[in-house]
Amino acid sequence: MKATMNLEHISPLRRKLALLGDKDRINCIYKDCWINYSEVSSIRNAVRAVYEMPQKIQAQCILISGRPGMGKTSLFKKVESDMETLRKRNEDHRGYISFTLSPDPTLRSFEDSIGDSLGVPIGKIRNGLVPEALCRLAHLRRMRLVLIDEVHNLLNAGRSDQRKNLGFLRGLSSPPMSLSIIAFGVDDAAYAISSDAQLERRFQVYDLPRWKENESFRSFLAAYESMLPLRKPSELWRQEKVKMLLSASEGITDAIVKRITRGAAWSIIDGKEEIDIESLTKAADIPPYFDRVNDEGR
Ligand SMILES: Nc1ncnc2c1ncn2[C@@H]1O[C@H](COP(=O)(O)OP(=O)(O)OP(=O)(O)O)[C@@H](O)[C@H]1O
Ligand SMILES: [Mg+2]
C-alpha cells in the first residue's frame, strides 16, 4: 500500500517522513519549521546587504517590528544563521554580536548579554560610553552588526536608564565602532527608538504585518502543508480554509501555525490524513497525548 501512496503534495526531501508511524509523524509535525515567505525574504536580503556594506560613519540600522507572535524571534534566528554563513564564506570573516534584551534592561544587563555573546567580558559601560575593551574587540573581530531581539524591553527601564541605554546604542552605531544595529521587537519598539532623534534617523523600519487573504498567505499555507507528513493533500490554500484560519487567528502567525499543526495531529489521530474543516475546528484544543489515545483502545 505504501508503495502506491501519492505524496506529491509533500516537498521531496520530506516525503519519506510520511512513511513513519503515527507517533513519529506527530512529533515531526510539532517541530518548528521555517517558511521563507516574501516579507521575511526581503528583510533577510536587506540585512545581508547591510552586512556587506563598507563601514560608514553613521551605520545603516534596521528595525523589524510586528505584533506578538508574528515571527520576529524565528526570523532573528534565521538572520543569525545567515550571518554565520556569510561570516564563514567571506575571507575577511566579519563578525557580529547577537543577544536578546533582558526584560530589565540596565547598562549592567547590556554588559552581561554582550559579554556572553562574545565569550569575553567587555568591561564597564560608564555614562553610556562604549567600553574601550569592546572597541578593541570589535576592531579585532571585524565586527559589523549587532542583532538584538526583544528590543521593546528598552521601554521597561526608568527614564534615566532609558536615556543611557539609547545613548549606548547610539555609541555602538557611531565611530569608531559604527556597528549596524538590527533590532527586532513588538510595535512599541519603534516608539522606544524614536525617542532618540539621532538614533531614529539611522533606522530603516520593516513591518511584519498580520496575514490577510492574499496570494502571499495562500503561498505560506501551501508551503507549510508541503512540510507536513500527512498522506493526503489538505489544500489549505482553499478559500474556506483560508477564511477560517484568518478568523481563528486574527492573522497572527503563531496562532495560524498552532491551528495547522494541531489540525494535522488531529487528522492523524482521526485516521483522515488530511486537514479538513473539522480537524481545524478541533484544533482549537491540543490533541491528546498519542500514547494515551492508543492506551484507550484506538
Ligand atoms: N517563517 C515562519 N515559518 C514557520 N513558522 C513560523 C514562521 N514564523 C513564525 N513561525 C511560527 O510562529 C511561532 C511564533 O513565532 P515567534 O516566536 O518567532 O514570534 P515573535 O514575533 O517572536 O513573538 P513574541 O513577540 O511573543 O516574541 C513560532 O513558534 C513558529 O512556530
Ligand atoms: Mg519573540
Side-chain angles (χ1 to χ4, degrees):
M1 181 238 178
K2 280 177 184 174
T4 60
M5 232 187 263
N6 181 351
L7 300 175
E8 274 173 23
H9 57 286
I10 306 177
S11 93
L13 285 175
R14 293 185 57 102
R15 278 182 200 153
K16 59 180 186 306
L17 298 177
L19 306 178
L20 296 173
D22 293 353
K23 190 174 177 199
D24 288 338
R25 287 190 298 140
I26 290 179
N27 275 335
C28 285
I29 286 168
Y30 284 133
K31 281 194 187 132
D32 284 326
C33 69
W34 172 257
I35 307 295
N36 201 34
Y37 55 98
S38 63
E39 282 84 354
V40 292
S41 169
S42 351
I43 296 170
R44 288 171 68 191
N45 279 332
V47 179
R48 286 193 192 104
V50 166
Y51 176 87
E52 298 284 3
M53 278 176 190
Q55 199 157 27
K56 296 163 79 77
I57 292 177
Q58 280 192 11
Q60 173 69 61
C61 301
I62 291 181
L63 171 66
I64 296 108
S65 79
R67 316 285 301 177
M70 264 325 289
K72 298 176 298 297
T73 301
S74 308
L75 177 58
F76 174 83
K77 300 268 174 224
K78 207 67 199 168
V79 167
E80 263 184 337
S81 81
D82 288 343
M83 293 307 105
E84 200 48 36
T85 310
L86 284 182
R87 194 182 66 78
K88 287 185 185 144
R89 197 184 296 158
N90 282 7
E91 272 180 10
D92 60 358
H93 296 299
R94 296 174 176 184
Y96 61 92
I97 305 170
S98 135
F99 64 95
T100 299
L101 199 61
S102 96
D104 166 32
T106 56
L107 291 176
R108 297 293 84 79
S109 68
F110 271 109
E111 288 162 6
D112 293 344
S113 310
I114 296 179
D116 285 349
S117 168
L118 294 173
V120 272
I122 60 157
K124 291 255 168 289
I125 306 171
R126 293 186 207 284
N127 304 321
L129 293 176
V130 178
E132 197 43 41
L134 179 55
C135 286
R136 274 200 304 274
L137 206 62
H139 182 68
L140 275 172
R141 296 199 190 172
R142 300 173 195 280
M143 219 85 84
R144 292 291 298 115
L145 294 182
V146 192
L147 308 176
I148 311 177
D149 196 13
E150 309 268 347
V151 77
H152 50 265
N153 282 340
L154 279 172
L155 290 170
N156 293 351
R159 277 191 145 218
S160 111
D161 272 336
Q162 244 180 72
R163 259 200 310 277
K164 286 183 198 157
N165 289 341
L166 289 170
F168 174 63
L169 291 183
R170 198 174 344 108
L172 290 180
S173 62
S174 310
M177 297 184 66
S178 296
L179 299 178
S180 291
I181 299 171
I182 314 293
F184 298 70
V186 295
D187 301 342
D188 284 352
Y191 178 68
I193 283 169
S194 65
S195 62
D196 184 304
Q198 276 184 308
L199 202 53
E200 188 194 16
R201 272 191 299 111
R202 295 177 197 178
F203 275 88
Q204 175 88 26
V205 180
Y206 288 82
D207 188 30
L208 285 181
R210 289 174 195 260
W211 292 101
K212 291 196 294 254
E213 189 176 344
N214 56 21
E215 204 40 50
S216 172
F217 187 44
R218 282 188 285 274
S219 306
F220 176 79
L221 295 176
Y224 212 102
E225 180 178 341
S226 76
M227 303 301 279
L228 299 171
L230 299 180
R231 292 173 185 165
K232 292 185 188 162
S234 303
E235 301 186 336
L236 289 175
W237 40 265
R238 287 202 175 273
Q239 197 182 30
E240 191 190 17
K241 292 180 183 171
V242 167
K243 284 199 185 304
M244 181 184 176
L245 283 168
L246 286 176
S247 75
S249 65
E250 297 182 347
I252 300 292
T253 315
D254 186 40
I256 292 165
V257 167
K258 282 200 176 98
R259 275 277 161 161
I260 297 175
T261 50
R262 290 175 185 178
W266 274 117
S267 85
I268 291 180
I269 292 168
D270 291 340
K272 291 180 176 170
E273 295 294 335
E274 67 182 285
I275 311 170
D276 60 8
I277 289 287
E278 194 197 356
S279 319
L280 285 179
T281 309
K282 287 172 87 172
D285 292 317
I286 301 174
Y289 178 55
F290 196 76
D291 274 352
R292 250 193 54 221
V293 177
N294 282 342
D295 292 347
E296 284 167 10
R298 287 190 58 89

